[in-house]
Amino acid sequence: MDFPYNYNSTRLLLISLVSAVFIIYPNIAGLSRELSQIDSAEHAAHLSFFAFRFLFFGVLIFIILKYNLEKIKTILFRKRLVRSFLLAVVAYLVYVCISRLSSIKVDCFTSMLLFQFFVVGIVCAFVGHMFQLYGVQLKKEQEIEQLKIENLQSRCNALTNQINPHFFFNSLNGLSALIRKKNEENTLAYVNKLSDVFRYILQSEKKGLVTLGEELEFAEAFRYMMEVRFANKLVFNIVVARDKMGLKLPVLSLLPLIDNIVMHNVIDSQHKMVADIWLNEQRELVISNPVFPKHTPAATSGTGLQNLENRFFLLMNRSVRIEPGEKIFRVYLPLK
């Protein structure tokens, strides 16, 4: 498994140097005593070797930590500990060689020095193990999050696909009515707009959220179809500022609402339907229409608005507001 994120090498080196201070703290505490036991002429050399010891442990911790983070991929602590300990042993041998070549008499075989190298190996292995476990956990969380996204997308696609068959049959009914009237011009215009609408619907399977401008452009094509179908007894007033066209909402949000207006209301010369679409101050798209209920309720599954609410919740984590009044029916779609 790859390391879960890019760490800062400079910061890691700084942490290593700070850790080295704690490792050699017993030497720091006894430095003044050691200096008092040697000639003042040897103080500079002794301090230089002390500084070397500090840098040696700092670089050693950095190397072993870096090796743990980048090279050791196992989640077994025992294997990680063995490798870190072997590096510490090799470093100890190097330290002994350098110490022997130094003019300063340093005992390289004290229990304190051996303990310091032992601690470096264990601590670096432990830190590397913790980071590895964190990486495994992070990867699992990312996989779970990806599965959630894929599940939401599949559920959203399923809800969107429920819209298409219903709209398809309604559109064919409108087309067949125009054909029976033998109005070729209106029939041709209806077919052209129908193709635009179906192109948008087919492309919607690849989309989740679309801009308000795209959705209203689709609504314009759909509006033409409805106005032709109902001989201008169904009119849409769409008033949205151009600078708000970039706001987003789930694709095909307007289709079930417009379809519901047609399905649940009487639309004739005595009941002219005027539907208004505008943006309120809360950045909600408001779809409003007068209520002219049919004497016989439409035979529908009643899933249109429910599907719309589900898609808004899945894609935006927002709720659709519905105000089913006796005279005016309003739906408020939150925008993002």
Side-chain angles (χ1 to χ4, degrees):
M1 188 195 72
D2 294 332
F3 195 64
Y5 58 88
N6 295 324
Y7 61 89
N8 189 307
S9 295
T10 303
R11 184 177 299 175
L12 183 63
L13 179 59
L14 180 61
I15 293 174
S16 301
L17 293 175
V18 173
S19 302
V21 173
F22 290 95
I23 293 295
I24 67 170
Y25 179 77
N27 304 103
I28 297 175
L31 181 60
S32 59
R33 179 176 54 81
E34 293 177 5
L35 291 175
S36 64
Q37 296 175 355
I38 61 176
D39 296 336
S40 58
E42 298 179 359
H43 283 187
H46 197 86
L47 288 173
S48 297
F49 191 83
F50 179 84
F52 162 76
R53 179 162 45 195
F54 164 70
L55 292 175
F56 186 91
F57 274 104
V59 173
L60 174 62
I61 294 172
F62 175 80
I63 292 174
I64 299 180
L65 279 178
K66 190 176 180 67
Y67 181 76
N68 270 272
L69 296 177
E70 293 184 354
K71 303 298 182 181
I72 305 179
K73 306 301 181 182
T74 179
I75 60 174
L76 298 177
F77 179 71
R78 183 176 59 183
K79 292 183 178 180
R80 184 181 296 276
L81 179 61
V82 169
R83 295 182 187 181
S84 298
F85 185 73
L86 288 176
L87 286 176
V89 170
V90 172
Y92 171 72
L93 295 177
V94 172
Y95 183 88
V96 170
C97 293
I98 296 176
S99 299
R100 287 303 181 183
L101 295 175
S102 173
S103 59
I104 303 176
K105 296 180 180 180
V106 180
D107 189 354
C108 301
F109 306 102
T110 62
S111 58
M112 176 58 67
L113 184 63
L114 293 173
F115 178 74
Q116 287 171 332
F117 277 95
F118 181 75
V119 168
V120 167
I122 290 181
V123 171
C124 290
F126 179 77
V127 172
H129 185 64
M130 290 297 100
F131 272 97
Q132 188 72 17
L133 292 179
Y134 173 73
V136 171
Q137 181 64 27
L138 183 63
K139 185 176 181 181
K140 287 182 179 179
E141 291 177 358
Q142 291 173 345
E143 291 175 349
I144 292 173
E145 190 65 26
Q146 183 63 32
L147 288 174
K148 287 181 179 179
I149 293 173
E150 292 175 357
N151 181 47
L152 290 176
Q153 187 61 49
S154 62
R155 289 170 62 188
C156 185
N157 289 341
L159 292 170
T160 303
N161 290 335
Q162 291 181 23
I163 297 173
N164 298 346
H166 177 68
F167 169 72
F168 177 74
F169 290 114
N170 282 346
S171 300
L172 290 183
N173 289 335
L175 180 59
S176 63
L178 285 175
I179 292 174
R180 283 195 298 269
K181 293 179 181 178
K182 297 181 180 181
N183 188 325
E184 294 183 2
E185 183 178 350
N186 286 347
T187 301
L188 181 60
Y190 187 93
V191 171
N192 288 335
K193 292 297 182 181
L194 182 61
S195 66
D196 293 337
V197 168
F198 269 104
R199 186 181 301 110
Y200 184 80
I201 291 177
L202 292 174
Q203 293 174 351
S204 70
E205 296 183 357
K206 302 177 183 179
K207 301 177 181 179
L209 298 177
V210 296
T211 64
L212 181 56
E214 292 177 274
E215 191 71 7
L216 291 179
E217 186 177 348
F218 158 77
E220 286 286 348
F222 194 32
R223 174 177 72 172
Y224 180 86
M225 292 170 51
M226 294 296 100
E227 289 178 351
V228 170
R229 176 181 167 187
F230 288 96
N232 295 319
K233 297 180 181 66
L234 173 60
V235 178
F236 292 88
N237 292 326
I238 302 177
V239 181
V240 177
R242 288 185 176 273
D243 60 342
K244 304 298 183 182
M245 293 296 183
L247 296 174
K248 293 189 175 183
L249 72 169
V251 66
L252 296 178
S253 295
L254 293 177
L255 176 57
L257 298 179
I258 297 175
D259 208 28
N260 274 354
I261 294 175
V262 175
M263 184 172 297
H264 295 287
N265 290 279
V266 175
I267 302 176
D268 54 26
S269 56
Q270 296 181 352
H271 303 86
K272 186 175 181 180
M273 176 63 66
V274 179
D276 296 308
I277 300 176
W278 77 93
L279 201 64
N280 66 10
E281 295 179 354
Q282 288 74 39
R283 289 209 314 182
E284 295 174 313
L285 189 66
V286 185
I287 297 87
S288 173
N289 64 273
V291 177
F292 304 132
K294 292 182 177 180
H295 298 294
T296 302
T300 63
S301 60
T303 59
L305 287 178
Q306 185 61 53
N307 286 349
L308 182 64
E309 290 178 327
N310 290 340
R311 288 194 293 126
F312 265 84
F313 182 77
L314 290 174
L315 295 176
M316 298 178 59
N317 197 26
R318 301 281 298 277
S319 298
V320 174
R321 292 197 296 126
I322 301 175
E323 294 182 355
E326 294 183 1
K327 295 184 178 181
I328 300 293
F329 186 90
R330 287 193 181 95
V331 177
Y332 299 82
L333 303 181
L335 302 180
K336 186 175 183 179

